[in-house]
Structures are given as C-alpha cells and as structure tokens.
PDB file of all heavy atoms in Angstrom:
ATOM      1  N   MET A  19      48.827 226.364  49.057  1.00 68.00           N
ATOM      2  CA  MET A  19      48.396 225.630  47.827  1.00 68.00           C
ATOM      3  C   MET A  19      47.056 226.242  47.328  1.00 68.00           C
ATOM      4  O   MET A  19      46.200 226.641  48.065  1.00 68.00           O
ATOM      5  CB  MET A  19      48.079 224.227  48.250  1.00 68.00           C
ATOM      6  CG  MET A  19      47.512 223.331  47.202  1.00 68.00           C
ATOM      7  SD  MET A  19      47.402 221.679  47.870  1.00 68.00           S
ATOM      8  CE  MET A  19      46.165 221.008  46.693  1.00 68.00           C
ATOM      9  N   ASN A  20      46.974 226.385  45.996  1.00 84.00           N
ATOM     10  CA  ASN A  20      45.852 226.881  45.331  1.00 84.00           C
ATOM     11  C   ASN A  20      44.694 225.961  45.446  1.00 84.00           C
ATOM     12  O   ASN A  20      44.908 224.750  45.456  1.00 84.00           O
ATOM     13  CB  ASN A  20      46.078 227.267  43.878  1.00 84.00           C
ATOM     14  CG  ASN A  20      47.055 228.424  43.740  1.00 84.00           C
ATOM     15  OD1 ASN A  20      47.109 229.306  44.613  1.00 84.00           O
ATOM     16  ND2 ASN A  20      47.761 228.433  42.567  1.00 84.00           N
ATOM     17  N   LYS A  21      43.483 226.461  45.514  1.00 90.00           N
ATOM     18  CA  LYS A  21      42.252 225.643  45.455  1.00 90.00           C
ATOM     19  C   LYS A  21      42.197 224.931  44.031  1.00 90.00           C
ATOM     20  O   LYS A  21      42.541 225.575  43.052  1.00 90.00           O
ATOM     21  CB  LYS A  21      41.024 226.387  45.770  1.00 90.00           C
ATOM     22  CG  LYS A  21      40.981 227.028  47.051  1.00 90.00           C
ATOM     23  CD  LYS A  21      40.253 226.187  48.056  1.00 90.00           C
ATOM     24  CE  LYS A  21      40.158 226.939  49.426  1.00 90.00           C
ATOM     25  NZ  LYS A  21      39.934 226.062  50.473  1.00 90.00           N
ATOM     26  N   GLN A  22      41.729 223.725  44.053  1.00 93.00           N
ATOM     27  CA  GLN A  22      41.530 222.962  42.745  1.00 93.00           C
ATOM     28  C   GLN A  22      40.163 222.442  42.796  1.00 93.00           C
ATOM     29  O   GLN A  22      39.543 222.105  43.951  1.00 93.00           O
ATOM     30  CB  GLN A  22      42.577 221.871  42.661  1.00 93.00           C
ATOM     31  CG  GLN A  22      44.033 222.417  42.550  1.00 93.00           C
ATOM     32  CD  GLN A  22      44.961 221.286  42.456  1.00 93.00           C
ATOM     33  OE1 GLN A  22      44.728 220.203  42.888  1.00 93.00           O
ATOM     34  NE2 GLN A  22      46.059 221.548  41.921  1.00 93.00           N
ATOM     35  N   ILE A  23      39.536 222.242  41.636  1.00 94.00           N
ATOM     36  CA  ILE A  23      38.268 221.651  41.508  1.00 94.00           C
ATOM     37  C   ILE A  23      38.437 220.308  40.705  1.00 94.00           C
ATOM     38  O   ILE A  23      39.007 220.250  39.681  1.00 94.00           O
ATOM     39  CB  ILE A  23      37.276 222.502  40.760  1.00 94.00           C
ATOM     40  CG1 ILE A  23      37.015 223.930  41.513  1.00 94.00           C
ATOM     41  CG2 ILE A  23      35.940 221.829  40.400  1.00 94.00           C
ATOM     42  CD1 ILE A  23      36.234 224.834  40.780  1.00 94.00           C
ATOM     43  N   PHE A  24      37.838 219.179  41.323  1.00 96.00           N
ATOM     44  CA  PHE A  24      37.784 217.952  40.660  1.00 96.00           C
ATOM     45  C   PHE A  24      36.290 217.550  40.575  1.00 96.00           C
ATOM     46  O   PHE A  24      35.651 217.201  41.587  1.00 96.00           O
ATOM     47  CB  PHE A  24      38.474 216.906  41.536  1.00 96.00           C
ATOM     48  CG  PHE A  24      39.985 217.116  41.542  1.00 96.00           C
ATOM     49  CD1 PHE A  24      40.524 217.978  42.466  1.00 96.00           C
ATOM     50  CD2 PHE A  24      40.860 216.452  40.649  1.00 96.00           C
ATOM     51  CE1 PHE A  24      41.969 218.225  42.560  1.00 96.00           C
ATOM     52  CE2 PHE A  24      42.208 216.634  40.714  1.00 96.00           C
ATOM     53  CZ  PHE A  24      42.820 217.615  41.622  1.00 96.00           C
ATOM     54  N   VAL A  25      35.794 217.604  39.408  1.00 96.00           N
ATOM     55  CA  VAL A  25      34.394 217.190  39.120  1.00 96.00           C
ATOM     56  C   VAL A  25      34.471 215.706  38.766  1.00 96.00           C
ATOM     57  O   VAL A  25      35.241 215.329  37.991  1.00 96.00           O
ATOM     58  CB  VAL A  25      33.796 217.958  37.881  1.00 96.00           C
ATOM     59  CG1 VAL A  25      32.401 217.437  37.593  1.00 96.00           C
ATOM     60  CG2 VAL A  25      33.752 219.462  38.196  1.00 96.00           C
ATOM     61  N   ASN A  26      33.808 214.861  39.595  1.00 97.00           N
ATOM     62  CA  ASN A  26      33.712 213.392  39.379  1.00 97.00           C
ATOM     63  C   ASN A  26      32.503 213.002  38.662  1.00 97.00           C
ATOM     64  O   ASN A  26      31.436 213.350  39.130  1.00 97.00           O
ATOM     65  CB  ASN A  26      33.860 212.708  40.760  1.00 97.00           C
ATOM     66  CG  ASN A  26      35.152 213.023  41.325  1.00 97.00           C
ATOM     67  OD1 ASN A  26      36.119 212.183  41.186  1.00 97.00           O
ATOM     68  ND2 ASN A  26      35.260 214.063  42.070  1.00 97.00           N
ATOM     69  N   LEU A  27      32.667 212.353  37.445  1.00 97.00           N
ATOM     70  CA  LEU A  27      31.464 211.928  36.666  1.00 97.00           C
ATOM     71  C   LEU A  27      31.614 210.379  36.331  1.00 97.00           C
ATOM     72  O   LEU A  27      32.681 209.887  36.013  1.00 97.00           O
ATOM     73  CB  LEU A  27      31.506 212.704  35.387  1.00 97.00           C
ATOM     74  CG  LEU A  27      31.411 214.198  35.415  1.00 97.00           C
ATOM     75  CD1 LEU A  27      31.626 214.841  34.119  1.00 97.00           C
ATOM     76  CD2 LEU A  27      30.029 214.628  35.995  1.00 97.00           C
ATOM     77  N   ALA A  28      30.493 209.756  36.508  1.00 97.00           N
ATOM     78  CA  ALA A  28      30.404 208.284  36.204  1.00 97.00           C
ATOM     79  C   ALA A  28      30.302 208.186  34.722  1.00 97.00           C
ATOM     80  O   ALA A  28      29.530 208.924  34.103  1.00 97.00           O
ATOM     81  CB  ALA A  28      29.243 207.698  36.871  1.00 97.00           C
ATOM     82  N   VAL A  29      30.967 207.276  34.117  1.00 97.00           N
ATOM     83  CA  VAL A  29      31.000 206.982  32.623  1.00 97.00           C
ATOM     84  C   VAL A  29      30.766 205.536  32.445  1.00 97.00           C
ATOM     85  O   VAL A  29      31.266 204.671  33.223  1.00 97.00           O
ATOM     86  CB  VAL A  29      32.214 207.519  31.902  1.00 97.00           C
ATOM     87  CG1 VAL A  29      32.302 209.036  32.074  1.00 97.00           C
ATOM     88  CG2 VAL A  29      33.419 206.757  32.382  1.00 97.00           C
ATOM     89  N   LYS A  30      30.126 205.178  31.377  1.00 97.00           N
ATOM     90  CA  LYS A  30      29.858 203.802  31.049  1.00 97.00           C
ATOM     91  C   LYS A  30      31.087 203.150  30.344  1.00 97.00           C
ATOM     92  O   LYS A  30      31.404 201.935  30.585  1.00 97.00           O
ATOM     93  CB  LYS A  30      28.585 203.619  30.204  1.00 97.00           C
ATOM     94  CG  LYS A  30      27.321 204.007  30.881  1.00 97.00           C
ATOM     95  CD  LYS A  30      26.123 203.603  30.091  1.00 97.00           C
ATOM     96  CE  LYS A  30      24.897 203.891  30.843  1.00 97.00           C
ATOM     97  NZ  LYS A  30      24.843 203.407  32.201  1.00 97.00           N
ATOM     98  N   ASP A  31      31.683 203.867  29.504  1.00 98.00           N
ATOM     99  CA  ASP A  31      32.822 203.340  28.723  1.00 98.00           C
ATOM    100  C   ASP A  31      33.953 204.379  28.800  1.00 98.00           C
ATOM    101  O   ASP A  31      33.981 205.400  28.085  1.00 98.00           O
ATOM    102  CB  ASP A  31      32.448 203.003  27.278  1.00 98.00           C
ATOM    103  CG  ASP A  31      33.548 202.383  26.488  1.00 98.00           C
ATOM    104  OD1 ASP A  31      34.715 202.651  26.581  1.00 98.00           O
ATOM    105  OD2 ASP A  31      33.183 201.412  25.699  1.00 98.00           O
ATOM    106  N   LEU A  32      34.947 204.091  29.640  1.00 98.00           N
ATOM    107  CA  LEU A  32      36.044 205.058  29.885  1.00 98.00           C
ATOM    108  C   LEU A  32      36.838 205.259  28.575  1.00 98.00           C
ATOM    109  O   LEU A  32      37.188 206.460  28.318  1.00 98.00           O
ATOM    110  CB  LEU A  32      36.993 204.461  30.944  1.00 98.00           C
ATOM    111  CG  LEU A  32      38.047 205.357  31.408  1.00 98.00           C
ATOM    112  CD1 LEU A  32      37.562 206.731  31.890  1.00 98.00           C
ATOM    113  CD2 LEU A  32      38.935 204.844  32.503  1.00 98.00           C
ATOM    114  N   ASP A  33      37.149 204.262  27.811  1.00 98.00           N
ATOM    115  CA  ASP A  33      38.008 204.529  26.620  1.00 98.00           C
ATOM    116  C   ASP A  33      37.141 205.428  25.595  1.00 98.00           C
ATOM    117  O   ASP A  33      37.801 206.291  25.004  1.00 98.00           O
ATOM    118  CB  ASP A  33      38.298 203.172  25.947  1.00 98.00           C
ATOM    119  CG  ASP A  33      39.346 202.362  26.688  1.00 98.00           C
ATOM    120  OD1 ASP A  33      40.135 203.051  27.431  1.00 98.00           O
ATOM    121  OD2 ASP A  33      39.374 201.240  26.624  1.00 98.00           O
ATOM    122  N   LYS A  34      35.887 205.219  25.414  1.00 98.00           N
ATOM    123  CA  LYS A  34      35.104 206.070  24.543  1.00 98.00           C
ATOM    124  C   LYS A  34      34.988 207.462  25.115  1.00 98.00           C
ATOM    125  O   LYS A  34      35.037 208.472  24.407  1.00 98.00           O
ATOM    126  CB  LYS A  34      33.678 205.445  24.319  1.00 98.00           C
ATOM    127  CG  LYS A  34      33.689 204.285  23.392  1.00 98.00           C
ATOM    128  CD  LYS A  34      32.277 203.861  23.172  1.00 98.00           C
ATOM    129  CE  LYS A  34      32.270 202.629  22.303  1.00 98.00           C
ATOM    130  NZ  LYS A  34      30.805 202.017  22.055  1.00 98.00           N
ATOM    131  N   SER A  35      34.912 207.578  26.402  1.00 98.00           N
ATOM    132  CA  SER A  35      34.834 208.956  26.976  1.00 98.00           C
ATOM    133  C   SER A  35      36.138 209.685  26.852  1.00 98.00           C
ATOM    134  O   SER A  35      36.188 210.906  26.499  1.00 98.00           O
ATOM    135  CB  SER A  35      34.460 208.843  28.423  1.00 98.00           C
ATOM    136  OG  SER A  35      33.069 208.489  28.611  1.00 98.00           O
ATOM    137  N   LYS A  36      37.255 209.040  27.002  1.00 98.00           N
ATOM    138  CA  LYS A  36      38.533 209.600  26.787  1.00 98.00           C
ATOM    139  C   LYS A  36      38.715 210.074  25.304  1.00 98.00           C
ATOM    140  O   LYS A  36      39.189 211.195  25.020  1.00 98.00           O
ATOM    141  CB  LYS A  36      39.660 208.703  27.259  1.00 98.00           C
ATOM    142  CG  LYS A  36      39.823 208.541  28.679  1.00 98.00           C
ATOM    143  CD  LYS A  36      40.765 207.435  29.128  1.00 98.00           C
ATOM    144  CE  LYS A  36      42.110 207.552  28.496  1.00 98.00           C
ATOM    145  NZ  LYS A  36      43.053 206.518  28.943  1.00 98.00           N
ATOM    146  N   ALA A  37      38.334 209.176  24.408  1.00 98.00           N
ATOM    147  CA  ALA A  37      38.457 209.589  22.992  1.00 98.00           C
ATOM    148  C   ALA A  37      37.436 210.823  22.724  1.00 98.00           C
ATOM    149  O   ALA A  37      37.991 211.663  21.956  1.00 98.00           O
ATOM    150  CB  ALA A  37      37.978 208.308  22.175  1.00 98.00           C
ATOM    151  N   PHE A  38      36.377 210.786  23.236  1.00 98.00           N
ATOM    152  CA  PHE A  38      35.470 212.018  23.044  1.00 98.00           C
ATOM    153  C   PHE A  38      36.055 213.263  23.553  1.00 98.00           C
ATOM    154  O   PHE A  38      36.140 214.258  22.722  1.00 98.00           O
ATOM    155  CB  PHE A  38      34.138 211.711  23.815  1.00 98.00           C
ATOM    156  CG  PHE A  38      33.129 212.914  23.785  1.00 98.00           C
ATOM    157  CD1 PHE A  38      32.303 213.066  22.721  1.00 98.00           C
ATOM    158  CD2 PHE A  38      33.146 213.818  24.816  1.00 98.00           C
ATOM    159  CE1 PHE A  38      31.437 214.166  22.636  1.00 98.00           C
ATOM    160  CE2 PHE A  38      32.221 214.850  24.816  1.00 98.00           C
ATOM    161  CZ  PHE A  38      31.463 215.061  23.696  1.00 98.00           C
ATOM    162  N   PHE A  39      36.646 213.306  24.758  1.00 98.00           N
ATOM    163  CA  PHE A  39      37.217 214.552  25.211  1.00 98.00           C
ATOM    164  C   PHE A  39      38.565 214.854  24.634  1.00 98.00           C
ATOM    165  O   PHE A  39      38.939 216.016  24.460  1.00 98.00           O
ATOM    166  CB  PHE A  39      37.256 214.476  26.712  1.00 98.00           C
ATOM    167  CG  PHE A  39      35.913 214.700  27.388  1.00 98.00           C
ATOM    168  CD1 PHE A  39      35.267 213.630  28.018  1.00 98.00           C
ATOM    169  CD2 PHE A  39      35.313 215.850  27.426  1.00 98.00           C
ATOM    170  CE1 PHE A  39      34.005 213.827  28.481  1.00 98.00           C
ATOM    171  CE2 PHE A  39      33.995 216.173  27.989  1.00 98.00           C
ATOM    172  CZ  PHE A  39      33.399 215.052  28.556  1.00 98.00           C
ATOM    173  N   ASN A  40      39.285 213.799  24.126  1.00 98.00           N
ATOM    174  CA  ASN A  40      40.523 214.145  23.325  1.00 98.00           C
ATOM    175  C   ASN A  40      40.166 214.862  22.042  1.00 98.00           C
ATOM    176  O   ASN A  40      40.850 215.713  21.635  1.00 98.00           O
ATOM    177  CB  ASN A  40      41.279 212.744  22.965  1.00 98.00           C
ATOM    178  CG  ASN A  40      42.264 212.387  24.000  1.00 98.00           C
ATOM    179  OD1 ASN A  40      43.055 213.244  24.479  1.00 98.00           O
ATOM    180  ND2 ASN A  40      42.288 211.161  24.469  1.00 98.00           N
ATOM    181  N   ALA A  41      39.007 214.416  21.471  1.00 98.00           N
ATOM    182  CA  ALA A  41      38.502 215.110  20.227  1.00 98.00           C
ATOM    183  C   ALA A  41      38.224 216.611  20.452  1.00 98.00           C
ATOM    184  O   ALA A  41      38.290 217.446  19.583  1.00 98.00           O
ATOM    185  CB  ALA A  41      37.372 214.360  19.659  1.00 98.00           C
ATOM    186  N   LEU A  42      37.922 217.009  21.750  1.00 98.00           N
ATOM    187  CA  LEU A  42      37.695 218.355  22.029  1.00 98.00           C
ATOM    188  C   LEU A  42      38.940 219.078  22.445  1.00 98.00           C
ATOM    189  O   LEU A  42      38.946 220.338  22.684  1.00 98.00           O
ATOM    190  CB  LEU A  42      36.694 218.448  23.175  1.00 98.00           C
ATOM    191  CG  LEU A  42      35.173 218.358  22.831  1.00 98.00           C
ATOM    192  CD1 LEU A  42      34.828 217.087  22.318  1.00 98.00           C
ATOM    193  CD2 LEU A  42      34.414 218.709  24.015  1.00 98.00           C
ATOM    194  N   GLY A  43      40.052 218.357  22.448  1.00 97.00           N
ATOM    195  CA  GLY A  43      41.358 218.980  22.738  1.00 97.00           C
ATOM    196  C   GLY A  43      41.781 218.861  24.193  1.00 97.00           C
ATOM    197  O   GLY A  43      42.884 219.416  24.591  1.00 97.00           O
ATOM    198  N   TYR A  44      41.117 218.081  24.998  1.00 98.00           N
ATOM    199  CA  TYR A  44      41.541 217.900  26.436  1.00 98.00           C
ATOM    200  C   TYR A  44      42.550 216.803  26.467  1.00 98.00           C
ATOM    201  O   TYR A  44      42.555 215.841  25.703  1.00 98.00           O
ATOM    202  CB  TYR A  44      40.380 217.623  27.269  1.00 98.00           C
ATOM    203  CG  TYR A  44      39.449 218.765  27.397  1.00 98.00           C
ATOM    204  CD1 TYR A  44      38.248 218.790  26.701  1.00 98.00           C
ATOM    205  CD2 TYR A  44      39.765 219.873  28.167  1.00 98.00           C
ATOM    206  CE1 TYR A  44      37.374 219.989  26.806  1.00 98.00           C
ATOM    207  CE2 TYR A  44      38.919 221.030  28.279  1.00 98.00           C
ATOM    208  CZ  TYR A  44      37.781 220.970  27.591  1.00 98.00           C
ATOM    209  OH  TYR A  44      36.953 222.162  27.681  1.00 98.00           O
ATOM    210  N   THR A  45      43.370 216.873  27.489  1.00 98.00           N
ATOM    211  CA  THR A  45      44.320 215.832  27.794  1.00 98.00           C
ATOM    212  C   THR A  45      44.163 215.163  29.068  1.00 98.00           C
ATOM    213  O   THR A  45      43.273 215.667  29.929  1.00 98.00           O
ATOM    214  CB  THR A  45      45.847 216.426  27.781  1.00 98.00           C
ATOM    215  OG1 THR A  45      45.837 217.406  28.837  1.00 98.00           O
ATOM    216  CG2 THR A  45      46.148 217.059  26.450  1.00 98.00           C
ATOM    217  N   PHE A  46      44.821 214.126  29.417  1.00 98.00           N
ATOM    218  CA  PHE A  46      44.610 213.358  30.654  1.00 98.00           C
ATOM    219  C   PHE A  46      45.983 213.236  31.328  1.00 98.00           C
ATOM    220  O   PHE A  46      47.051 213.043  30.706  1.00 98.00           O
ATOM    221  CB  PHE A  46      44.097 211.972  30.309  1.00 98.00           C
ATOM    222  CG  PHE A  46      42.623 212.064  29.769  1.00 98.00           C
ATOM    223  CD1 PHE A  46      42.375 212.328  28.397  1.00 98.00           C
ATOM    224  CD2 PHE A  46      41.497 212.009  30.607  1.00 98.00           C
ATOM    225  CE1 PHE A  46      41.151 212.387  27.887  1.00 98.00           C
ATOM    226  CE2 PHE A  46      40.312 212.187  30.173  1.00 98.00           C
ATOM    227  CZ  PHE A  46      40.068 212.294  28.784  1.00 98.00           C
ATOM    228  N   ASN A  47      45.926 213.386  32.725  1.00 97.00           N
ATOM    229  CA  ASN A  47      47.049 213.257  33.496  1.00 97.00           C
ATOM    230  C   ASN A  47      47.354 211.759  33.723  1.00 97.00           C
ATOM    231  O   ASN A  47      46.575 211.112  34.383  1.00 97.00           O
ATOM    232  CB  ASN A  47      46.893 213.951  34.746  1.00 97.00           C
ATOM    233  CG  ASN A  47      48.101 213.865  35.692  1.00 97.00           C
ATOM    234  OD1 ASN A  47      48.905 212.921  35.614  1.00 97.00           O
ATOM    235  ND2 ASN A  47      48.273 214.900  36.533  1.00 97.00           N
ATOM    236  N   PRO A  48      48.478 211.152  33.155  1.00 97.00           N
ATOM    237  CA  PRO A  48      48.624 209.766  33.229  1.00 97.00           C
ATOM    238  C   PRO A  48      48.906 209.250  34.642  1.00 97.00           C
ATOM    239  O   PRO A  48      48.623 208.151  34.952  1.00 97.00           O
ATOM    240  CB  PRO A  48      49.802 209.465  32.396  1.00 97.00           C
ATOM    241  CG  PRO A  48      50.498 210.853  32.224  1.00 97.00           C
ATOM    242  CD  PRO A  48      49.456 211.854  32.354  1.00 97.00           C
ATOM    243  N   GLN A  49      49.385 210.199  35.534  1.00 97.00           N
ATOM    244  CA  GLN A  49      49.682 209.853  36.942  1.00 97.00           C
ATOM    245  C   GLN A  49      48.335 209.445  37.693  1.00 97.00           C
ATOM    246  O   GLN A  49      48.438 208.603  38.578  1.00 97.00           O
ATOM    247  CB  GLN A  49      50.359 210.965  37.630  1.00 97.00           C
ATOM    248  CG  GLN A  49      50.794 210.671  38.975  1.00 97.00           C
ATOM    249  CD  GLN A  49      51.472 211.922  39.658  1.00 97.00           C
ATOM    250  OE1 GLN A  49      51.634 212.910  39.012  1.00 97.00           O
ATOM    251  NE2 GLN A  49      51.933 211.619  40.855  1.00 97.00           N
TER     252      GLN A  49
END
C-alpha cells in the first residue's frame, strides 16, 4: 500500500468550507 497523507483541519462551518474548496476545483470523497 502506498503511503497517504491526511491533513486534519478544524472548521467552523463545514458547508461553507466545502463550497470554498469546491470553488478552487477540489472534490470530496462521499464515502
């Protein structure tokens, strides 16, 4: 198995954070 990095960050508003990073072109793993 390849090494993977998971950076964990606390956020105040998850929906706003997801919208912010979606605007940068990032996607989210629904699983």
